[in-house]
Amino acid sequence: MKAVFGDRARLQGMLDFEAGLARAQSALSVIPADAAPAIAAQADASLYDMADIGRKAVLGGNLAIPLVKALTERVDGDAKRYVHWGATSQDVIDTGLMLQIREGLSLLEDDLTALADACAMLADAHRATPMVGRSFMQHGLPMPFGLKAAGWLEAAHNAITRLARLRKETLALQFGGAVGTLASLGEDGARVRDRLASDLDLHAPATPWFTLRDRLVEITSALGITAGLMNKIAGDIVLMMQTEVGEVFEPAAPGKGGSSTMPHKRNPVGAATARGAALQAQARAAAMFTTMDQQHERAVGGWQAEWGLVPELFVLTAASIAPLASALAGLEVDAERMRANLEITGGLVFAEAAMMKLAPDIGRMEAHHVVEAACKTAIAEKRHLRDVLGEDETVAARLDSAALEALFEPMGYVGSSATFIDRALAAWAAFTKKA
């Protein structure tokens, strides 16, 4: 991702715009036919001194000014007169950025696909691995670990779909000349614009969008959402790797996850890296909203702020996905510890199951009262809830010992979990097959 948004790629995107513009204008006889190949032959970023262009951009105010000058100097003969014909700096910079974004989105989709595949593997392998579902950081009810992984899978699937849609629908050519009228091209402006959009495989909006940045902010918002999802998934892993929990572990490797002072530690370094990058990405995504306040037809400040924010946002979003995908692909799941953690409350996580079993006979409110009282007794006397319920006359009259024992089987009270896992896996399988 750093390469996609690096100096050379930035110049190459701008040069691709200039070459495409010359081809479009040549095809429409706006400039001589032999001008296009002469210009395109020099549209190679490796031909230019990036450091020199960078220094000169400080005086010019943007990269396009020194780049166009350097390109013009390299083009031979009369063709040099037609470099950048009818365009303005923002046309070059914005369109070049759109070309970079297209490649960047594809990279993110690839990384998210690897992450989703890892989640699908976990969901399928652990559809019958019971663990405790937590509510407000407290033990709630039993659930299969596969359902948690299926939730991660669906989130990743949604992120891929979102980015793919934006890549196909939102990337747009910027070409409007000085203030969006293309007056320098006379009546040929709209035709050239449409031809150029086709050449670069970008959408041609009805009007130039110099200071209307909704397209760009929609893309960066999607990256912020993606980074937020990575933060959540990585956060789950961090919490499950706590010593007191110990339900999953990132894959071990020499030198990975250790401490400089505590030899026994196994740190969640992949999740930590993902979270650190995600938090920074989300901050930049939020900052992009502030850049939308752009004045009249060409902006001062907001547009320039994007130049750093967008590349950094793409790099940081990628950095939130890659280490997490690696961690999930080799995630070690301790099913025995998950089962043991279910038992640390002495059966209290099965209180709802007991209540719902009694409710048809005595009503939900009465069942809630009976089980709640039993829970209080179990806590006070440090006894298992099953044993306390077995001594209650109301319960004993309706549930024999076998029925009571069955209530405390974790996979016996997971509702539609299997269906939910199957649906997430089926949707992902259909998506990958179609792709």
Side-chain angles (χ1 to χ4, degrees):
M1 194 65 80
K2 284 185 175 180
V4 169
F5 286 94
D7 292 344
R8 175 167 291 188
R10 178 165 290 198
L11 293 186
Q12 190 58 59
M14 296 163 66
L15 290 166
D16 288 344
F17 168 87
E18 295 291 356
L21 176 62
R23 287 192 297 267
Q25 292 175 331
S26 177
L28 296 172
S29 301
V30 174
I31 65 174
D34 58 357
I39 294 171
Q42 304 303 320
D44 182 342
S46 66
L47 300 175
Y48 298 87
D49 185 338
M50 289 182 282
D52 182 61
I53 290 173
R55 285 189 294 270
K56 292 175 179 176
V58 176
L59 296 176
N62 65 64
L63 284 171
I65 293 173
L67 180 61
V68 170
K69 182 178 180 181
L71 172 61
T72 303
E73 290 172 351
R74 290 192 61 89
V75 175
D76 294 328
D78 288 342
K80 69 169 63 248
R81 296 190 297 166
Y82 299 102
V83 172
H84 198 63
W85 193 256
T88 194
S89 296
Q90 190 165 354
D91 293 328
V92 187
I93 293 172
D94 279 356
T95 301
L97 178 62
M98 284 289 170
L99 297 177
Q100 290 176 277
I101 286 174
R102 178 163 60 199
E103 188 172 354
L105 289 174
S106 293
L107 286 180
L108 292 179
E109 290 170 42
D110 290 344
D111 284 349
L112 284 167
T113 297
L115 185 144
D117 282 339
C119 292
M121 177 185 66
L122 289 168
D124 189 41
H126 295 283
R127 58 174 61 246
T129 301
M131 67 173 295
V132 65
R134 296 173 171 92
S135 172
F136 280 63
M137 302 293 285
Q138 306 295 307
H139 282 206
L141 297 174
M143 65 177 287
F145 175 59
L147 180 60
K148 183 184 284 286
W152 297 341
L153 167 62
E154 186 169 31
H157 186 175
N158 289 342
I160 295 168
T161 302
R162 189 179 298 112
L163 296 181
R165 177 184 62 79
L166 291 172
R167 181 168 51 82
K168 294 175 183 177
E169 299 178 2
T170 310
L171 301 181
L173 172 72
Q174 178 73 280
F175 185 48
V179 295
T181 63
L182 281 178
S184 58
L185 295 180
E187 295 181 356
D188 293 319
R191 291 195 307 134
V192 170
R193 189 164 172 271
D194 292 345
R195 184 65 177 249
L196 175 56
S198 178
D199 183 277
L200 297 176
D201 194 23
L202 294 171
H203 293 288
T207 63
W209 47 279
F210 289 128
T211 51
L212 301 168
R213 311 304 282 182
D214 55 306
R215 292 176 181 84
L216 185 58
V217 175
E218 185 178 7
I219 293 168
T220 56
S221 296
L223 266 62
I225 292 170
T226 300
L229 290 171
M230 299 305 104
N231 201 10
K232 184 273 185 291
I233 296 171
D236 282 352
I237 292 175
V238 168
L239 292 171
M240 294 173 75
M241 278 187 68
Q242 289 183 105
T243 303
E244 296 84 351
V245 180
E247 294 177 342
V248 301
F249 296 93
E250 291 190 7
K256 181 177 184 291
S259 166
S260 63
T261 186
M262 293 170 282
H264 66 281
K265 289 193 68 183
R266 185 173 177 182
N267 291 322
V269 292
T273 301
R275 283 173 63 80
L279 289 168
Q280 294 182 74
Q282 289 175 282
R284 284 158 177 79
M288 283 296 296
F289 283 96
T290 70
T291 69
M292 294 183 72
D293 181 16
Q294 301 198 9
Q295 308 81 18
H296 295 306
E297 281 62 57
R298 301 286 298 282
V300 177
W303 178 51
Q304 290 80 1
E306 297 170 357
W307 301 347
L309 288 172
V310 174
E312 290 173 359
L313 178 51
F314 269 87
V315 171
L316 288 164
T317 302
S320 76
I321 301 170
L324 185 56
S326 178
L328 288 167
L331 196 69
E332 297 176 16
V333 179
D334 190 336
E336 290 185 6
R337 185 63 177 266
M338 288 181 172
R339 182 61 182 258
N341 285 342
L342 271 168
E343 299 297 332
I344 65 175
T345 61
L348 294 181
V349 293
F350 300 96
E352 184 187 86
M355 180 189 74
M356 295 306 294
K357 187 69 173 179
L358 294 169
D361 283 344
I362 64 176
R364 184 186 177 282
M365 289 302 297
E366 179 61 20
H368 187 284
H369 174 74
V370 169
V371 175
E372 183 180 34
C375 289
K376 291 179 179 178
T377 299
I379 294 170
E381 298 179 2
K382 293 182 171 54
R383 298 171 61 198
H384 199 284
L385 178 62
R386 177 185 54 244
D387 298 333
V388 176
L389 286 172
E391 296 172 357
D392 185 279
E393 293 182 0
T394 301
V395 176
R398 291 163 176 81
L399 301 175
D400 59 23
S401 58
L404 188 60
E405 187 70 30
L407 285 178
F408 291 83
E409 170 52 46
M411 291 304 295
Y413 196 72
V414 294
S416 298
S417 295
T419 300
F420 297 152
I421 293 169
D422 287 341
R423 287 177 177 177
L425 289 171
W428 178 242
F431 176 80
T432 53
K433 183 178 180 181
K434 182 178 180 181

